[in-house]
Amino acid sequence: MTADLPPKPAPRPDKVSLWRYMRLFRQDILSAQPARLYRAWMAEFRTPFFRSYLLNQPDLVTEVLKRRPDDFPKSDRIGEGLRPLLGNSVFLTNGETWKRQRRIIDPAFEGGRLRDTYPAMWAAADAAVARLRALRSDTVEIEEETSHAAADVIFRTLFSIPIEHEIAREVFAEFRTYQRSQPILNLAAFVPLPRWMPRFFGRDTRASARVIRRLITRLCDDRQAAIAAGTAPDDLATKIMTTRDPETGDLFDTSEMVDQVAIFFLAGHETSASALAWALYLVARYPDWQERIADEAAALETGDFSEISKLRITRDVFREALRLYPPVPMMVREATCPERFRDRDIAPGAQMVLSPWHLHRHTRLWDDPDAFDPARFGTENGKTCLREAFIPFSAGSRVCTGAGFAMVEGVLLLARILRAFRIEPVGDAPVPVAHLTVRSRDGIRLRLTPR
Ligand code: HEM
């Protein structure tokens, strides 16, 4: 099974100077880490300004994310690069503000609503297959295509508009500019900058955040007007903008809605695009699975939501892609009380790092952790690890709002694309690096042949 492993970044040597660590970190947080993190239960990083602890032991991960999330709020360092764009979005807030926002947002993503959202996803899958068929070359850089498809899914489900819509297109283009100017989400959370040091956002970052927010404000204002006129479509935006907080009766005001739409777009399209691109690469590399998915996808005929639950193999392949290349490779929380974990005293203010990247490849938890084997989820080890060591969407009360949504979207797009095409890898194996999400350093090139 271990013979032909999918790509994994080379780790750094165990001991490096802080300066070198920071330089490596700037390039890519995955290859900046030492190999011992794949077998450690807990690791400590000492820096001149704060301590960080990486937690891999399942019960410690559970303690932080599930049992006592209020004692481990999101570190405000995480928002460093994103605040100009995301303002007070649910991704960045803590405490009462966050709880209120989730009370309004969560109903839009409940199971029943997913059924209502499904036709828009189906239409986005049609459009994605049509775009791929229309490509002039048979070799494609697939991350470009999956970004396009995932952005299309978000606009269709949130605002009932396709990515070709003028505003959707502009938002999509401007997000790319923003990412280029502010490329690494978590950098500030790990790098030992003291808190008093001012943070500067480049002029480009601020300007592009302003453009995006202006465009999204137009969408929200138009929608507000349509709701008032009784002509609004029944999509996610309408649902969120008309849901009252069950405790206070309040609705989101426009600026708060703009914050949330910005995060839905960012968290919802970058991540799904990354997962789908890696899933397609993996099945290109291990083509037996491709055939099995294509067979299974024959069950997708009517566009009826109930069909998706029949795609068990596709789901396991998508899960295995999320395990090997978790789009959000690491998350950070901050200890607010003194703790004692594995005989170590942890002081308030310490940064607790939860790393799906390391947990998902942990050598003491998973059988054959670096191998691509979707069948593992049918084994005892796979089932146990799925419960205890698989957190691509995080876990606990702060779990990804879009987890159910993303599992339907990813499985549907993967199945529909493989029903339409045979795919093969082209050129060198991609090198995973973590920017905003886990991407390939030089893109992922695939050859598509219509079936
Ligand atoms: C494969 C796709 C996706 C993955 C792997 C993913 C992963 C994650 C993870 C790990 C977090 C927690 C981050 C942290 O705690 O620091 C998160 C949060 C979030 N995600 Fe996703 N996500 C995906 C798709 C989506 C989609 C489609 C949406 C919305 C349409 C979405 C909306 C959000 C939001 C709003 C949060 C913040 C939740 C909170 O802090 O309360 N995500 N996601």
Side-chain angles (χ1 to χ4, degrees):
M1 185 77 269
T2 35
D4 172 28
L5 297 177
K8 176 178 177 183
R12 68 153 163 93
D14 212 26
K15 295 227 178 311
V16 292
S17 68
L18 179 62
W19 176 240
R20 179 148 155 71
Y21 180 56
M22 282 174 67
R23 291 229 342 239
L24 287 167
F25 201 101
R26 264 188 183 282
Q27 285 156 17
D28 162 41
I29 59 177
L30 300 179
S31 53
Q33 311 303 334
R36 69 187 155 89
L37 298 190
Y38 293 106
R39 50 174 195 276
W41 291 128
M42 176 167 158
E44 181 172 350
F45 299 90
R46 291 165 190 238
T47 72
F49 304 108
F50 63 85
R51 298 268 163 96
S52 300
Y53 299 87
L54 182 131
L55 305 177
N56 272 336
Q57 188 171 300
D59 62 325
L60 295 181
V61 175
T62 300
E63 187 72 12
V64 169
L65 293 179
K66 290 195 187 162
R67 270 194 228 116
R68 292 169 44 216
D70 289 350
D71 293 339
F72 297 96
K74 256 196 180 177
S75 163
D76 56 12
R77 289 158 190 268
I78 202 84
E80 304 279 352
L82 293 172
R83 216 163 285 279
L85 177 65
L86 299 180
N88 221 11
S89 101
V90 65
F91 194 80
L92 301 178
T93 52
N94 276 312
E96 280 313 308
T97 307
W98 170 78
K99 285 188 182 151
R100 188 176 66 80
Q101 291 173 339
R102 288 287 298 236
R103 287 197 294 270
I104 296 177
I105 291 167
D106 283 357
F109 289 92
E110 274 163 17
R113 290 296 300 185
L114 272 182
R115 175 182 299 276
D116 302 338
T117 306
Y118 190 69
M121 288 187 189
W122 182 270
D126 278 343
V129 169
R131 258 193 318 272
L132 291 172
R133 280 196 203 287
L135 288 174
R136 290 223 191 91
S137 159
D138 62 350
T139 301
V140 292
E141 198 291 288
I142 204 70
E143 286 182 327
E144 283 277 319
E145 300 301 323
T146 58
S147 280
H148 204 129
D152 193 28
V153 169
I154 290 289
F155 278 108
R156 285 177 193 262
T157 53
L158 258 178
F159 284 106
S160 305
I161 53 177
I163 191 72
E164 289 78 22
H165 182 282
E166 182 199 346
I167 298 184
R169 224 178 35 223
E170 277 185 61
V171 173
F172 183 43
E174 203 57 46
F175 257 100
R176 293 179 164 220
T177 311
Y178 185 87
Q179 271 163 247
R180 272 196 294 275
S181 69
Q182 185 60 47
I184 303 178
L185 168 63
N186 290 345
L187 185 65
F190 298 85
V191 168
L193 294 176
R195 232 168 245 285
W196 43 260
M197 195 181 269
R199 308 295 195 261
F200 295 108
F201 298 109
R203 287 218 347 252
D204 290 356
T205 309
R206 286 191 184 282
S208 110
R210 264 198 308 275
V211 173
I212 296 169
R213 292 186 62 89
R214 205 166 43 236
L215 291 165
I216 296 178
T217 306
R218 255 169 69 197
L219 287 175
C220 292
D221 284 343
D222 288 355
R223 179 52 58 89
Q224 202 64 61
I227 292 170
T231 54
D234 179 23
D235 52 22
L236 291 178
T238 298
K239 174 73 184 160
I240 294 169
M241 289 170 84
T242 55
T243 297
R244 290 186 182 278
D245 176 356
E247 288 186 14
T248 63
D250 291 345
L251 294 165
F252 277 148
D253 60 31
T254 304
S255 105
E256 233 176 341
M257 185 62 193
V258 172
D259 294 345
Q260 313 313 330
V261 172
I263 188 60
F264 292 151
F265 186 76
L266 186 71
H269 106 273
E270 265 282 311
T271 47
S272 292
S274 153
L276 183 60
W278 284 108
L280 288 166
Y281 170 72
L282 286 165
V283 292
R285 181 166 178 145
Y286 304 100
D288 291 356
W289 288 96
Q290 209 176 125
E291 295 309 313
R292 297 172 69 182
I293 292 177
D295 287 351
E296 202 177 58
L300 289 175
E301 274 165 359
T302 60
D304 188 79
F305 183 60
S306 61
E307 290 171 355
I308 201 80
S309 60
K310 297 184 192 143
L311 305 190
R312 299 236 164 86
I313 297 171
T314 318
R315 187 197 56 201
D316 284 347
V317 168
F318 191 65
R319 263 187 191 151
E320 184 69 340
L322 287 172
R323 184 184 73 81
L324 286 168
Y325 303 101
V328 179
M330 291 179 206
M331 299 171 273
V332 186
R333 298 292 188 265
E334 190 162 310
T336 54
C337 344
E339 307 284 345
R340 197 164 168 77
F341 282 4
R342 287 190 69 84
D343 293 335
R344 268 189 257 209
D345 286 319
I346 294 171
Q351 307 291 299
M352 312 306 286
V353 180
L354 296 313
S355 173
W357 181 274
H358 292 98
L359 191 63
H360 291 180
R361 290 173 181 259
H362 202 276
T363 54
R364 295 202 252 174
L365 294 168
W366 296 87
D367 289 345
D368 225 348
D370 291 331
F372 173 72
D373 179 17
R376 70 172 70 246
F377 297 112
T379 67
E380 273 318 303
N381 175 260
K383 285 181 196 161
T384 308
C385 285
L386 200 55
R387 279 194 310 274
E388 297 179 356
F390 183 72
I391 52 165
F393 299 106
S394 184
S397 54
R398 244 197 137 138
V399 67
C400 171
T401 336
F405 180 105
M407 284 306 296
V408 174
E409 170 193 13
V411 168
L412 177 65
L413 281 165
L414 185 59
R416 295 284 310 277
I417 292 172
L418 292 174
R419 183 79 191 143
F421 301 95
R422 275 200 183 83
I423 57 180
E424 293 161 67
V426 177
D428 292 339
V431 179
V433 288
H435 285 189
L436 199 56
T437 52
V438 172
R439 288 299 177 109
S440 161
R441 192 186 60 204
D442 311 305
I444 299 179
R445 259 163 288 282
L446 301 176
R447 180 169 304 113
L448 270 59
T449 316
R451 279 183 186 273

